[in-house]
Amino acid sequence: SSYQLLSGQLKKYANIAKAGGWPQIPDDAKKLKKGKSSPEVAVIKKYLQFTSDLPQGDTTNIFDENLADGIKSYQSRFGYNAN
């Protein structure tokens, strides 16, 4: 039912708040390229894990294929051209 879906989302967002809230993705993160390593990559991964676009557990600073897939998933869900 709609109520159950809403209740599930409320729990999800409550857990995000308990974990410190949404991570802030730095403006210069747009310059990151696959194969590179940067502290900003871990921030993006955490954000995409909150949105369920990236599996939990990957906390590395490396921009890998999994992160590229997570970004494409996020873009597609919000109607952007997945690139």
Side-chain angles (χ1 to χ4, degrees):
S1 78
S2 296
Y3 176 78
Q4 289 172 330
L5 292 173
L6 183 60
S7 178
Q9 290 300 309
L10 179 60
K11 287 179 185 177
K12 178 179 177 178
Y13 286 106
N15 288 334
I16 291 171
K18 285 180 189 175
W22 292 94
Q24 296 296 313
I25 299 174
D27 290 335
D28 61 347
K30 293 178 184 178
K31 299 176 184 176
L32 297 171
K33 302 289 181 199
K34 199 181 317 180
K36 299 297 182 182
S37 178
S38 172
E40 288 88 0
V41 170
V43 175
I44 296 168
K45 286 181 176 182
K46 184 176 181 181
Y47 187 97
L48 292 174
Q49 288 167 352
F50 279 156
T51 61
S52 299
D53 291 294
L54 187 71
Q56 297 290 323
D58 185 355
T59 58
T60 66
N61 289 339
I62 300 169
F63 191 144
D64 56 13
E65 191 64 36
N66 287 334
L67 177 57
D69 290 343
I71 292 169
K72 289 176 186 175
S73 171
Y74 183 90
Q75 290 171 327
S76 292
R77 283 190 318 103
F78 287 94
Y80 295 105
N81 185 21
N83 57 11

